Amino acid sequence: MSKYAFVSGGSRGIGRAVCLELARMGYSVLINYVSNDAAAAETLRLVEEAGGSGELMKFDVADQQASLQAITKWQEEHPDAYVEVLVNNAGVRKDNLLLWMEQEDWYDVIGTDLNSFYNITKPFLQPMVVHKKGRIINITSLSGLKGLPGQTNYSAAKGGLIAATKALAQEVAPRKVTVNAVAPGFISTDMVEGLDEAELKSQIPAKRFGKPEEVAALVGFLASDSSSYITGQVISVNGGLY
């Protein structure tokens, strides 16, 4: 029987790298995305090219009803299966100083980066608890650990995700479900577009941006049986930048 993994925001960047990593581990990957059909199709093609299997699930993780509807439909169509690995990766940035931040930029970032954790995790959690096996991996950020100026909304969302990780980990540990967070620093994806790369590299001890595959490798480990005694942790992938 197939093993299933779900990756939100799986069409590009870190999400795409995670989909490929999990496919190589033998998971059939549910690739969630919100709008970019071409990028999502390319991720699915790469998954299949790597010898894996997957399917596209297009919906907005910030929309609770749309999320529940899509996940329930998948569960009804796969009554003998369940999602064993959940990667909450979807995220957006809308940077500005709080002094000038528009209300919608606050709520949009909180919706996609934090509320989505509830929208996606809740419907997938019960089957994990019933089967006494599950891995929940939340992609947070350096911004959620230290707070970054111009990212009050993003830091709030990612900091909240870290706290949620630690709380849920304690709730479900007796049922053999682990919950961990991965906190990337500056990774070469479209999420860092518009940032001063040369200036930032000078602040990073490793003197470079990370690669999506380097984040995905850690996600793969946390999804594996080898990580079964690790839960409630936040692990940074940041080249030494704290």
Side-chain angles (χ1 to χ4, degrees):
M1 193 171 76
S2 293
K3 299 187 302 178
Y4 289 93
F6 178 97
V7 181
S8 70
S11 64
R12 295 175 293 169
I14 290 171
R16 175 180 286 176
V18 168
C19 288
L20 286 167
E21 180 73 18
L22 294 172
R24 291 188 199 103
M25 292 171 65
Y27 287 95
S28 183
V29 186
L30 312 182
I31 304 162
N32 161 260
Y33 70 107
V34 68
S35 60
N36 194 328
D37 294 319
E42 175 64 6
T43 299
L44 180 58
R45 187 190 71 77
L46 291 167
V47 161
E48 291 171 346
E49 191 179 80
S53 65
E55 58 188 286
L56 301 179
M57 293 183 69
K58 182 179 182 178
F59 64 90
D60 183 359
V61 294
D63 183 331
Q64 198 266 334
Q65 277 305 113
S67 300
L68 184 60
Q69 195 173 349
I71 293 167
T72 301
K73 181 174 183 287
W74 184 88
Q75 289 170 330
E76 288 171 351
E77 290 171 354
H78 300 78
D80 298 323
Y82 78 106
V83 166
E84 191 178 306
V85 175
L86 167 59
V87 183
N88 286 301
N89 166 74
V92 294
R93 270 180 46 221
K94 295 191 175 182
D95 295 356
N96 209 336
L97 298 178
L98 187 66
L99 198 61
W100 297 308
M101 186 178 290
E102 297 293 337
Q103 180 176 313
E104 66 195 64
D105 290 347
W106 175 271
Y107 285 104
D108 285 352
V109 169
I110 297 293
T112 300
D113 297 27
L114 180 58
N115 293 345
S116 63
F117 166 79
Y118 172 84
N119 296 344
I120 300 303
T121 306
K122 188 168 185 285
F124 280 133
L125 186 59
Q126 187 179 10
M128 290 185 188
V129 167
V130 168
H131 287 88
K132 292 190 176 179
K133 187 172 187 185
R135 297 282 185 270
I136 298 169
I137 301 149
N138 301 317
I139 307 299
T140 176
S141 170
L142 172 71
S143 187
L145 284 166
K146 67 171 285 186
L148 292 174
Q151 292 191 340
T152 306
N153 50 358
Y154 190 67
S155 294
K158 294 300 191 178
L161 189 56
I162 287 170
T165 297
K166 293 178 177 182
L168 181 60
Q170 295 173 68
E171 293 179 9
V172 296
R175 308 299 291 186
K176 296 183 170 59
V177 177
T178 67
V179 189
N180 290 290
V182 174
F186 294 102
I187 308 296
S188 295
T189 69
D190 55 10
M191 282 287 277
V192 298
E193 277 176 14
L195 300 179
D196 186 339
E197 196 166 330
E199 166 63 23
L200 289 167
K201 281 180 179 174
S202 71
Q203 299 172 27
I204 301 169
K207 299 300 179 194
R208 67 175 178 88
F209 280 12
K211 295 180 287 193
E213 293 76 17
E214 292 172 308
V215 179
L218 175 58
V219 173
F221 169 69
L222 291 173
S224 74
D225 289 341
S226 300
S227 69
S228 59
Y229 201 55
I230 299 171
T231 196
Q233 302 305 304
V234 185
I235 305 172
S236 294
V237 185
N238 60 20
L241 178 66
Y242 289 96

